[in-house]
Amino acid sequence: MPIRVFIILICCLSFSFSNAQEKTSLTYSEGLAVVKKKLPEGTRFGFVDEDGKLVVDHKYDTVYKPFRQGLANVGIFGKAGLINKKGKEVIPIQYKEIGDMSRNIIPVKNDQGLWGFLKKDGKKITDCLYNNYRFSHKGRIIVQYKGKWGIIEGNGNQAVNFSYNYIQYLDGKNFRVHRINSWQIKDAKNKVMASFEFDSLKPASGNTFIYSLIGSYGLVALDGSLLTDPVYDEIGPFKGSVAPAQKDKWGAVSITGKEVLPFTFDKIIVEAAFIIAGKKIRDGYRYQLYDHEGKLLGKHDFDEAGFASENLCAVRKKTLWGYADETGDLVIPCKYRDVSVSPEGMLEVTTVSNQKMLLSRNGETIVEPEDFSFYKKGIFRVDAAQKASWIVPKNSYDTFEKISNEHWIVSKAGKYGIINTSGKEVIPVRYDAVLPPSPNGYIPVSLSRKWGILNMSNRFTVPLTYKFEKIYPFKDGLFRVVVNKKFGFIDGEGNMWISPQYAQARDCSEGMVPVVIRDKWGVLDNKEVLKAQPYYESVSDFKNGSAIVKEGSKWNLINKEGKPLHSVPFDKIVSTKYERYLLYKDNKLGLADRNGEEALAPKYDMIEELGENKIKVKKDGLWGVLDYNENIILPIENDVVIYDSVTGNFFAGKKGKLEVMQVK
């Protein structure tokens, strides 16, 4: 064989082996394989058949999935679509994602992250409306719409309402479902004002409410219209018409659902006239001020921004504080160590030398540092026109203690007296101790270990005497006194109402005095008549004619005659802020009225007074609302009851249940 022929034969065999090797390295799906090619604009992908013939040109920058059921999932510039084996776009390349086809139904996701469904030929079944989906049997699709799950048919028609937070196909026609919690807003007459299906519901402001679904929050109106989808990790309290909200980052949302600040901040504080927005920097935060419409106020950045008062916001630059106004401009320079607002609406500031002073809201000094303590004690007064004046010269006394709007206890060189708003010494500054006057003008004083009582005319009604080792402040018409280490009671004229013979005594209340007799507590009236025998370990003050007593380990209430109000004592009795009494018995709760009489028998698991003749009660795991006569306001049938004290309405919630549902 000539050498030339041999060389040609070897080349042909090598070429054939190379082509065979390249072909066998490709992965074919339904007869077509993905191939790539480097082009000036970058690497592009196409498809070849088993003969190596290019059937779909190199024009896709991504192939998400090869051909299945005659379609391939391809992409250009981050968008996805489906092509057939001729390269024709059956599903336009415009979607963020395309799911797997089932029963000729193709899920597609738009740029907003919502899913819709198309037929295999590209015809629309539904718009992109759904947060999530799962294919079920017979072409049905379990879909989530605005946080709620339901079922649609393969043609897009609704088969099961969106009232569930969980749906699972079991078999045949059966689905396991968990219904979303149901909520009703009711008035004080149990009239239903609105009904909702959410995981939770609570007041926001006015007729807008905060709801949650599957851990995310949104806003809904009283008429049921969603003001926002459940897209927030948190929605804070509203001030005015704006609340802080979190969606990974923080922003602000209005009561209408409008996002007034973009969600690009690390911290948001909403005040009455400002939104304080902060972004993290290396060593802290950088803050800016916005109004409630989201408009940036001024050009200043701050290291910290705090509480706001009317049209001023406290701001800090580096280590020093000042105030910015509603335009964002600094009206009080950042030169103070600390700032706050006085009850009168003026500005209390602390200088870098740790001195306090008072400024007007435009920054003018009203009270200098050397006068500030006198201002706080009321000796240096500032009127509504922000004009300052002295009650007495500041060096007149060593100390001042305000005891009423008209009087101060003052001291000089260790002696005490009382002055009035004119600076006059009502009680001369000569006593070792002076107590606040009683409502009828009696003042206990002490001098050289003697005690006596003066009236507001500086006349002794009880002369100074060693007889009294101590006189206590006035309570309910009488002064408690100590004579020979025993307690008794006198009036402002020195008349002895209860003799000093008791080892311990509480102050008089409603004309009744608890005292200790032979190591037990009993009760006298203010004429020293024994009304309750000394049986008790403790006796409380009297309120509305009754007192709490403890005898051994049991509790009861007694009236002013010392008579127990309840034939069967309780395990514990606690007074409430509404001057009623919680009654504990065998791990159940009841309630007594202000007179100590039983209003609700101890049969409830929990009791919470709401005020305005409303009591929230829990029984057998369910909540309701009663009045103090045990009339039903809301039946005891709810898993949750929230009271809105602003509107007087109730949010009554019932938990959804897990059940099996048949779908025809």
Side-chain angles (χ1 to χ4, degrees), residues 401-420:
E401 179 190 353
K402 189 173 183 178
I403 55 176
S404 70
N405 289 331
E406 290 82 27
H407 295 97
W408 290 259
I409 294 176
V410 296
S411 74
K412 192 171 185 66
K415 297 298 183 180
Y416 293 84
I418 295 179
I419 64 171
N420 61 19

Side-chain angles (χ1 to χ4, degrees), residues 346 358 366-367 375 380-390:
M346 291 173 284
L358 188 72
I366 300 173
V367 178
Y375 159 73
F380 191 54
R381 288 189 162 182
V382 179
D383 62 19
Q386 299 185 349
K387 291 183 179 180
S389 60
W390 290 94

